[in-house]
Amino acid sequence: MRRLAEIPLRVWRTRGHDFTFRGHTIRYWVAGQGDPLLLIHGFPTASWDWHYLWQPLSRQYRVIACDMLGFGDSAKPRDHHYSLVEQADLQQALLEHLDVQSPVHVLAHDYGDSVAQELLARHNEGRFEMGSCVFLNGGLFPETHRALLVQKLLLSPVGWLIGRTFDRGSLDRDFSRVFGASTRPSESELDDFWSLISANRGHHILNRLVSYIPERVVHRDRWVRAMQQGRVPLRFINGAFDPVSGEHMVERYRQLVPNPDTVLIPDIGRYPHTETPALVLRLYEAFRAAVADFQPAESAPFLLHDAKLPDHPFVLSSTIQSASY
C-alpha cells in the first residue's frame, strides 16, 4: 500500500541540523528547492513521521521540518511549560534561521494541526505569511476530540507516574490502536518510534507535553474563526478509522468551515502519511494544483463559533473509496 521508499531512521538522523531556540537545541531537516513547505509533526512522535513523503515533496518544494521542543531528537527540558503557542514561535524562528521570505505552505498532523491553526490565526492578524494549509488527522475542534485513556491519565494528578512507566510495550498497546487494522506499524517501526520518544528520556515529560489538550480549548474560538475567514486555501485529509479524530472530526469540520475541502480515507487511522503515503502525496499534489491561482476573499464570511451550518454542497469534499493505490 505504501509504495514509496522509506528513509531509515538511522539515515534520517544523519541528515539533520541544529539551531538554538531560546537556549534549547532544536533538530531540523531541510531539502529541495521551490516554494517553502513546512511539515509539522504530531504527538508523541517526531519529524521522521514524514520520511515517506520527504523525497517526493523535496523534488517540488523546499521542504522544512523540525522536531519540536520536547520531541524526537530536540531538547526535552524537564521542568518546561510546553505550549502550542511557543511551538508556533519555534516554527517561525526556524523559518527566520533559514531566511525564508516567501509565503509558507504548511502540511501538518495531529499536535502539529494546532500549531498550524495558531500560524493561520497569525496570518490573519498580519504576523505570518501562509500560502496554504493541509491538515491531517488532528483535534481541530476540542469539543469533538476523543482523547485516549492514556492521554486522560497523563493529564491527571498521576500523569507524571504514567509517563515514567510508559515503555515500548505501552507504545505498542496504546499507540498501535489508532492505526488502521491493516496498516499498523511493524515491530521495527515501533522500535524507531520508541527510539524518538524515549531519546533524552522524553517519555518522562509526556505529562507535560499533553497539556496541549486543554490549551486547545483556550484558543479554540480564535483558531476556528481563522479557519472560517477564507484567506488561505485549506484541505483536511483524514483517516476515518482514527478513534480520536477520525470521521467525526470531518463531520464537525464540514459544519464549521465554509466550502470545506475534505477527503475521508476509509480503513486508515491516525497516521495517513505513514499508513498510505502514496495516496496522501497524490491528494496533496492535487490540492496544490487546484489552489495555484487562489485569491483570498475580500470580505471573508464570519460564522458564530458554535453555529451548525445548514445542509449545502460540500465543495471539493469527498470520500476515497479505496486507499490501496
Side-chain angles (χ1 to χ4, degrees), residues 78 149-167 170 173-174 194 201-210:
R78 295 289 177 271
L149 176 59
V150 65
Q151 293 174 310
K152 295 176 182 178
L153 290 173
L154 284 168
L155 283 169
S156 75
V158 297
W160 64 273
L161 179 60
I162 300 301
R164 278 170 166 70
T165 58
F166 193 86
D167 57 16
S170 306
R173 181 184 65 251
D174 297 320
W194 177 244
R201 302 179 74 176
H203 51 303
H204 287 191
I205 61 165
L206 289 175
N207 63 306
R208 291 184 173 274
L209 291 175
V210 83

Side-chain angles (χ1 to χ4, degrees), residues 142 212-221 223:
Y212 74 89
I213 294 178
E215 188 182 1
R216 281 172 170 167
V217 178
V218 174
H219 298 287
R220 187 263 187 202
D221 289 356
W223 289 351

Side-chain angles (χ1 to χ4, degrees), residues 79-122:
D79 298 323
H80 193 75
H81 174 69
Y82 291 91
S83 163
L84 294 164
V85 171
E86 183 180 45
Q87 303 286 18
D89 293 342
L90 167 58
Q91 301 296 337
Q92 289 191 267
L94 173 59
L95 294 169
E96 183 177 353
H97 173 74
L98 295 172
D99 194 30
V100 173
Q101 302 292 334
S102 52
V104 177
H105 300 265
V106 176
L107 174 57
H109 170 240
D110 182 55
Y111 180 102
D113 284 359
S114 299
V115 178
Q117 286 177 294
E118 172 62 25
L119 292 174
L120 177 61
R122 294 181 186 188

Side-chain angles (χ1 to χ4, degrees), residues 32-323:
Q33 302 291 328
D35 291 343
L37 172 57
L38 183 65
L39 308 181
I40 312 179
H41 68 77
F43 173 91
T45 47
S47 294
W48 184 67
D49 295 353
W50 303 107
H51 70 96
Y52 285 110
L53 299 180
W54 188 257
Q55 290 176 319
L57 288 173
S58 68
R59 297 186 190 111
Q60 302 180 68
Y61 312 110
R62 187 184 185 194
V63 187
I64 301 163
C66 72
D67 289 350
M68 285 183 278
L69 187 64
F71 294 86
D73 290 332
S74 288
K76 298 175 177 178
R78 295 289 177 271
D79 298 323
H80 193 75
H81 174 69
Y82 291 91
S83 163
L84 294 164
V85 171
E86 183 180 45
Q87 303 286 18
D89 293 342
L90 167 58
Q91 301 296 337
Q92 289 191 267
L94 173 59
L95 294 169
E96 183 177 353
H97 173 74
L98 295 172
D99 194 30
V100 173
Q101 302 292 334
S102 52
V104 177
H105 300 265
V106 176
L107 174 57
H109 170 240
D110 182 55
Y111 180 102
D113 284 359
S114 299
V115 178
Q117 286 177 294
E118 172 62 25
L119 292 174
L120 177 61
R122 294 181 186 188
H123 171 88
N124 290 348
E125 296 160 359
R127 298 190 289 136
F128 183 71
E129 195 170 0
M130 183 180 287
S132 69
C133 185
V134 171
F135 303 107
L136 304 181
N137 292 59
L140 296 171
F141 313 107
E143 69 273 17
T144 315
H145 180 260
R146 299 173 183 171
L148 296 172
L149 176 59
V150 65
Q151 293 174 310
K152 295 176 182 178
L153 290 173
L154 284 168
L155 283 169
S156 75
V158 297
W160 64 273
L161 179 60
I162 300 301
R164 278 170 166 70
T165 58
F166 193 86
D167 57 16
R168 167 64 169 71
S170 306
L171 183 70
D172 192 0
R173 181 184 65 251
D174 297 320
F175 184 66
S176 293
R177 64 185 293 258
V178 304
F179 286 75
S182 301
T183 54
R184 291 181 178 174
S186 66
E187 290 298 316
S188 63
E189 287 175 311
L190 283 170
D191 287 341
D192 288 340
F193 284 133
W194 177 244
S195 174
L196 290 162
I197 293 167
S198 62
N200 300 319
R201 302 179 74 176
H203 51 303
H204 287 191
I205 61 165
L206 289 175
N207 63 306
R208 291 184 173 274
L209 291 175
V210 83
S211 63
Y212 74 89
I213 294 178
E215 188 182 1
R216 281 172 170 167
V217 178
V218 174
H219 298 287
R220 187 263 187 202
D221 289 356
R222 173 169 160 267
W223 289 351
V224 172
R225 282 196 296 270
M227 297 170 69
Q228 294 171 335
Q229 294 303 300
R231 295 176 182 168
V232 171
L234 306 175
R235 169 169 280 189
F236 187 19
I237 300 172
N238 185 278
F241 198 79
D242 175 13
V244 179
S245 300
E247 185 171 3
H248 56 287
M249 194 64 69
V250 172
E251 292 174 358
R252 188 61 171 157
Y253 188 98
R254 290 172 175 174
Q255 291 171 354
L256 292 177
V257 178
N259 301 319
D261 176 351
T262 65
V263 183
L264 191 62
I265 311 175
D267 304 321
I268 296 299
R270 190 170 185 78
Y271 278 69
H273 49 319
T274 68
E275 296 177 65
T276 181
L279 177 57
V280 170
L281 178 64
R282 291 178 61 177
L283 293 170
Y284 183 76
E285 290 174 338
F287 166 78
R288 288 295 300 271
V291 303
D293 298 321
F294 174 83
Q295 294 294 325
E298 291 185 9
S299 179
F302 175 77
L303 303 176
L304 295 176
H305 69 270
D306 58 353
K308 178 176 173 57
L309 300 180
D311 291 338
H312 65 288
F314 295 128
V315 177
L316 288 175
S317 296
S318 63
T319 299
I320 300 296
Q321 297 303 316
S322 172

